[in-house]
Amino acid sequence: MELSPSPTTSPTYQRAPGYLQRLGLADWLFALLLCVGAGVALARYSSFMDIYEKVILLASVPTFVALGWHFKAVRWLMPLVALLSLWAVSLYDGNLDAAQTKFFLKYMLSSQSAILWMSTLFAFSTVFYLVGLLSRSNFGNSVGSKLCWAAVVLGWTGMMVRWFESYLIGPDVGHIPVSNLYEVFILFAMITAMFYLYYEERYATRQLGAFVMLVIAAAVAFLLWYTVSRDAAGIQPLVPALQSWWMKIHVPANFIGYGTFALAAMVATAYLLKTSGYLADRLPALEVLDDVMYKAISVGFAFFTVATILGALWAADAWGTYWQWDPKETWALIVWLNYAAWLHMRLISGLRGRVAAWWAVGGLLVTTFAFLGVNMFLSGLHSYGKL
């Protein structure tokens, strides 16, 4: 007869600590700081918010808490950006002209100054990452990474200060800075950089920085050209179609998709070079490149799907119909179908290797036309974003 082991003789099994048990004091302090900040904002500014904005504010707390717990760098990034932004707000003292008279505003913390610093730091980061890759220099990659983080800090600070500046112009002008090409190009650069920095930390490799920073540098170059040639840095009142709380969630979700699709394409470029024998000894393993490409597209597809649904709801609210086959809508659908097919082929047919990489690179061309080409060459209900 087979006997069950007695409690005193049975082997001891140790359960791995749960996720919450693995959190440290810094994690809980970060969560507490976000809760306090949201509470202060709600108590002080609730009279200026509608019910939807209050829901967005409250929902952002657990979202950013989870982000900070998963991506540790966010725990210092958010407080630092908040401190720099609040410092800038205090320097304005309610007067927009202070941006031209106070030293730190004029040369560092006004929105235009901070965004110019962001652009400069991204450019130098690209150079150092390239030097690190070509010379196999850990120093170059390390400096490139630090410069990228500095650009992210000043970029987010510039966006927060620009938001405040819009309200200094007039309460009816104030809006979240995601309403035109100038603002969304900044958003695109920031999102792409942050996702790259996450994967850099996650996979303990900086060799991909030279590739991802190229697409960010291209965005920055366009941003600077657009600023000079179109005087695009000025803050303008929202057109009626954009005067909606939907913009606060639709546009950021959309650009998480654009940013991660661009990142995946640049990683795919590295994959193709490695499989062709170029820089093979200087790039991460093919398995790592394939995994980053897959995860970036998966995240981007999820957010792009949400953004498309939100866009349809916004369209119904603004124009009375969910879909009108506007050029922007049509090309958004093409982007969605392209990556849906990519993921389907990967999960069902095991798509890997050079075919998947070439497809991801081609996807960037489709995404770029949907993002920028439609604004340049086509007209429709979204023509307020034209060049």
Side-chain angles (χ1 to χ4, degrees), residues 110-130:
S110 70
S111 65
Q112 292 189 35
S113 297
I115 289 164
L116 283 174
W117 275 110
M118 175 206 77
S119 303
T120 302
L121 290 167
F122 273 142
F124 278 111
S125 175
T126 305
V127 171
F128 274 95
Y129 270 124
L130 284 169

Side-chain angles (χ1 to χ4, degrees), residues 37-69:
V40 170
L42 195 61
R44 188 168 182 179
Y45 302 110
S46 61
S47 59
F48 299 98
M49 301 179 185
D50 59 31
I51 183 61
Y52 302 107
E53 291 167 330
K54 293 176 184 178
V55 170
I56 292 171
L57 174 63
L58 293 176
S60 68
V61 174
T63 301
F64 284 111
V65 166
L67 178 62
W69 285 354

Side-chain angles (χ1 to χ4, degrees), residues 122 169 171 198 276 347:
F122 273 142
I169 295 173
Y198 168 76
S276 300
L347 296 174

Side-chain angles (χ1 to χ4, degrees), residues 11-77:
T12 302
Y13 297 99
Q14 293 185 347
R15 180 177 298 176
Y19 181 77
L20 293 179
Q21 292 175 303
R22 295 196 298 270
L23 298 175
L25 178 61
D27 296 299
W28 290 110
L29 287 176
F30 172 73
L32 178 62
L33 183 63
L34 281 180
C35 291
V36 171
V40 170
L42 195 61
R44 188 168 182 179
Y45 302 110
S46 61
S47 59
F48 299 98
M49 301 179 185
D50 59 31
I51 183 61
Y52 302 107
E53 291 167 330
K54 293 176 184 178
V55 170
I56 292 171
L57 174 63
L58 293 176
S60 68
V61 174
T63 301
F64 284 111
V65 166
L67 178 62
W69 285 354
H70 190 65
F71 186 17
K72 301 299 184 184
V74 171
R75 296 184 311 184
W76 62 260
L77 174 66

Side-chain angles (χ1 to χ4, degrees), residues 40-282:
V40 170
L42 195 61
R44 188 168 182 179
Y45 302 110
S46 61
S47 59
F48 299 98
M49 301 179 185
D50 59 31
I51 183 61
Y52 302 107
E53 291 167 330
K54 293 176 184 178
V55 170
I56 292 171
L57 174 63
L58 293 176
S60 68
V61 174
T63 301
F64 284 111
V65 166
L67 178 62
W69 285 354
H70 190 65
F71 186 17
K72 301 299 184 184
V74 171
R75 296 184 311 184
W76 62 260
L77 174 66
M78 291 184 65
L80 179 57
V81 169
L83 288 173
L84 289 173
S85 302
L86 290 172
W87 182 22
V89 168
S90 68
L91 290 174
Y92 273 107
D93 195 26
N95 180 16
L96 190 61
D97 293 335
Q100 302 303 320
T101 59
K102 294 189 177 180
F103 179 84
F104 283 107
L105 284 177
K106 186 174 183 179
Y107 295 107
M108 182 175 291
L109 292 177
S110 70
S111 65
Q112 292 189 35
S113 297
I115 289 164
L116 283 174
W117 275 110
M118 175 206 77
S119 303
T120 302
L121 290 167
F122 273 142
F124 278 111
S125 175
T126 305
V127 171
F128 274 95
Y129 270 124
L130 284 169
V131 169
L133 176 67
L134 297 176
S135 65
R136 299 185 180 88
S137 168
N138 290 329
F139 174 77
N141 287 327
S142 177
V143 173
S145 181
K146 289 179 173 60
L147 289 173
C148 189
W149 272 116
V152 166
V153 169
L154 285 173
W156 284 125
T157 300
M159 292 287 273
M160 296 300 103
V161 175
R162 184 178 176 86
W163 198 345
F164 173 74
E165 288 170 350
S166 70
Y167 280 93
L168 283 182
I169 295 173
D172 57 330
V173 176
H175 60 271
I176 185 173
V178 293
S179 65
N180 55 41
L181 279 178
Y182 175 83
E183 293 168 348
V184 298
F185 258 90
I186 300 167
L187 182 65
F188 170 79
M190 302 298 293
I191 287 174
T192 307
M194 285 203 66
F195 269 96
Y196 164 70
L197 290 167
Y198 168 76
Y199 289 122
E200 180 181 271
E201 178 185 289
R202 172 70 175 78
Y203 291 91
T205 178
R206 289 172 171 163
Q207 288 87 349
L208 294 176
F211 293 89
V212 179
M213 290 306 300
L214 286 176
V215 76
I216 296 174
V220 166
F222 176 89
L223 176 68
L224 295 177
W225 168 82
Y226 192 50
T227 302
V228 173
S229 66
R230 299 291 191 274
D231 193 26
I235 299 173
Q236 302 296 330
L238 290 176
V239 299
L242 296 179
Q243 294 174 5
S244 170
W245 65 272
W246 287 104
M247 184 178 70
K248 298 178 177 67
I249 50 179
H250 167 71
V251 176
N254 209 46
F255 278 86
I256 290 175
Y258 285 152
T260 50
F261 294 155
L263 187 154
M266 301 313 293
V267 173
T269 302
Y271 187 100
L272 292 169
L273 286 174
K274 187 176 179 71
T275 56
S276 300
Y278 299 102
L279 304 174
D281 58 335
R282 308 180 195 189

